[in-house]
Amino acid sequence: MAAPMAGKFDGNLCDILQHVQQIDTFLDVMFEFLYRRTDFYKLMRHEHDTMGLPPGMAKKLVMKAFTKYEKIGNGPPLEELESSLMAAVPNPSNTVEITELPDVEKPSSREESKSEDVGERKERLTDETNEDRGEVAGETVKQDLSSTTLQQKRTSAMISSADTYNGALRETYAWAQTLHDLDVKVFVPETLKKAKDLKVEIKEDSIKVAVQSHHAGTSEPQVLIEGKLTMKIRCDESIWSLHPGSYVQLSLEKHRDAWWRAVVQGEPEIDNKSISNVQNVSDMDEDAQQDYQRVMFDMEQKRQGKPTIKEMETQEILRKAWNTDGSPFKGTEFDPSALNITT
């Protein structure tokens, strides 16, 4: 099943891409638009701010979108993923098996007439009873429908491989993780549109998400996820947001870098062998990112037959000393090939 927005803006985007020709310029156009025309880069510094995003959220949104389609591109097609999810959930059946009755002796005409009279009285009584019980039956149907809503959400198109990256899909939620943070997508009823109908608690060692009873079709609030976390998180760096009628997104920052095998205690644990230890460059600290960029630059320079960063630094030192007093090369054009340079 394709995403609802897939292909809708291909025409406009293709026009831009054909005009700028380069993918890096195309991306620059996209982010420049977000900078000029939206509050994407504006930081929310107070809880009452209505503009901008919490610190670090813009970067997380970009990386989430990138990772989503990276995994789809490198893994099985999204259609196969959706098919496998749908196949795991049995379709509800509305048919009732009727066992064939054994043959009986046909009644006489008088008995048949009496039987018809009795049948008519029973039918009237049944109709009256059904009318009296209509309201109760309606409530039962509502409860049955509400109990299947979360199951339907679990197999909807909003679930991708990125939502279970290094995590798992559960009855009422899906979770994914990197070495530093945890993303939990908790499914909510389609009728839930406002955050005031939610109860979300994020503590250092526990979480809870519940919906008001009138959305759950029950007499009490329905708990979607609750329990003690398998490890601690940083509450001040963790946030949540509601996607009306779909899910609650919990973005939790781990207290220490470690791979989790479950979100809450008691949940089935994932296999450590299924965890990908590949780390995104954006998740590295600043020093590690600089080292990575330096190595990648040197590799590209060597591929093109050009000097590495260290070699360029050495050449710059030699260039300055080339024409100094006492230099045997003074008065000649700088030529690094005349020297045996080792780095």
Side-chain angles (χ1 to χ4, degrees):
M1 180 185 296
M5 303 294 287
K8 184 174 182 180
F9 303 106
D10 281 2
N12 295 331
L13 295 175
C14 284
D15 289 342
I16 298 174
L17 191 56
Q18 289 176 0
H19 181 74
V20 300
Q21 297 294 319
Q22 300 292 333
I23 189 65
D24 55 342
T25 308
F26 175 79
L27 293 175
D28 187 72
V29 170
M30 297 292 104
F31 285 99
E32 190 263 348
F33 170 79
L34 293 175
Y35 166 72
R36 289 188 300 104
R37 304 298 297 272
T38 73
D39 59 350
F40 185 75
Y41 287 100
K42 183 177 178 61
L43 294 181
M44 296 177 64
R45 302 189 181 278
H46 305 284
E47 61 179 0
H48 299 297
D49 287 350
T50 58
M51 298 287 288
L53 296 170
M57 179 52 63
K59 185 176 181 181
K60 283 187 176 182
L61 292 175
V62 173
M63 289 308 303
K64 182 177 179 63
F66 173 81
T67 305
K68 172 181 178 181
Y69 291 101
E70 180 186 39
K71 296 304 173 185
I72 294 174
N74 295 334
L78 186 59
E79 291 81 2
E80 292 184 13
L81 177 66
E82 293 298 334
S83 299
S84 63
L85 289 175
M86 291 295 290
V89 182
N91 293 325
S93 175
N94 294 323
T95 60
V96 179
E97 182 180 359
I98 300 178
T99 304
E100 184 178 357
L101 295 175
D103 294 334
V104 296
E105 184 179 355
K106 186 176 180 180
S108 63
S109 58
R110 178 178 299 180
E111 291 175 343
E112 187 174 5
S113 175
K114 290 182 180 180
S115 177
E116 289 177 356
D117 292 340
V118 172
E120 290 177 359
R121 287 197 297 270
K122 288 178 66 178
E123 184 176 354
R124 286 196 300 270
L125 289 173
T126 301
D127 291 340
E128 292 173 358
T129 303
N130 287 340
E131 290 178 1
D132 294 337
R133 296 179 179 176
E135 185 175 349
V136 176
E139 292 298 323
T140 303
V141 171
K142 288 181 180 179
Q143 292 180 13
D144 291 340
L145 290 176
S146 65
S147 66
T148 60
T149 300
L150 296 180
Q151 189 76 353
Q152 294 170 354
K153 288 292 182 185
R154 191 165 72 94
T155 58
S156 66
M158 64 185 174
I159 294 297
S160 70
S161 57
D163 295 315
T164 57
Y165 177 67
N166 285 340
L169 178 63
R170 300 303 179 205
E171 182 71 20
T172 58
Y173 63 93
W175 68 280
Q177 65 174 323
T178 65
L179 195 59
H180 310 296
D181 52 41
L182 197 76
D183 286 322
V184 184
K185 181 178 285 188
V186 185
F187 313 128
V188 299
E190 292 180 338
T191 57
L192 198 149
K193 305 293 184 181
K194 298 180 180 179
K196 67 178 183 179
D197 293 332
L198 273 173
K199 182 177 182 181
V200 180
E201 295 179 359
I202 299 179
K203 298 180 180 180
E204 183 183 51
D205 59 354
S206 66
I207 59 172
K208 178 180 180 180
V209 178
V211 298
Q212 296 292 345
S213 58
H214 60 280
H215 289 293
T218 58
S219 58
E220 299 291 336
Q222 182 180 7
V223 177
L224 303 179
I225 180 173
E226 180 181 20
K228 188 175 181 63
L229 296 170
T230 54
M231 298 184 190
K232 291 185 178 180
I233 61 172
R234 300 182 187 274
C235 294
D236 54 343
E237 298 294 336
S238 300
I239 60 174
W240 66 273
S241 59
L242 171 65
H243 295 249
S246 297
Y247 57 87
V248 177
Q249 183 77 41
L250 306 181
S251 298
L252 312 176
E253 182 167 323
K254 298 176 180 178
H255 191 271
R256 64 183 180 87
D257 292 348
W259 294 114
W260 292 26
R261 298 184 64 184
V263 178
V264 294
Q265 295 180 9
E267 169 194 337
E269 296 184 345
I270 62 173
D271 187 354
N272 282 338
K273 295 181 181 179
S274 68
I275 296 177
S276 172
N277 292 313
V278 176
Q279 187 177 13
N280 291 323
V281 177
S282 60
D283 293 333
M284 301 177 182
D285 58 42
E286 187 174 348
D287 291 338
Q289 289 190 37
Q290 290 179 355
D291 291 341
Y292 173 81
Q293 292 169 359
R294 184 187 183 101
V295 170
M296 296 303 295
F297 177 81
D298 285 347
M299 290 177 61
E300 181 63 18
Q301 288 291 97
K302 289 181 178 180
R303 189 184 69 82
Q304 299 180 20
K306 297 179 180 180
T308 63
I309 293 176
K310 184 64 175 179
E311 291 170 345
M312 287 189 289
E313 292 173 349
T314 302
Q315 288 183 14
E316 185 61 27
I317 294 173
L318 293 174
R319 186 188 300 276
K320 292 179 180 179
W322 190 267
N323 282 316
T324 59
D325 293 337
S327 170
F329 305 105
K330 186 175 182 178
T332 62
E333 184 179 355
F334 177 68
D335 181 13
S337 63
L339 303 172
N340 183 18
I341 303 175
T342 57
T343 57

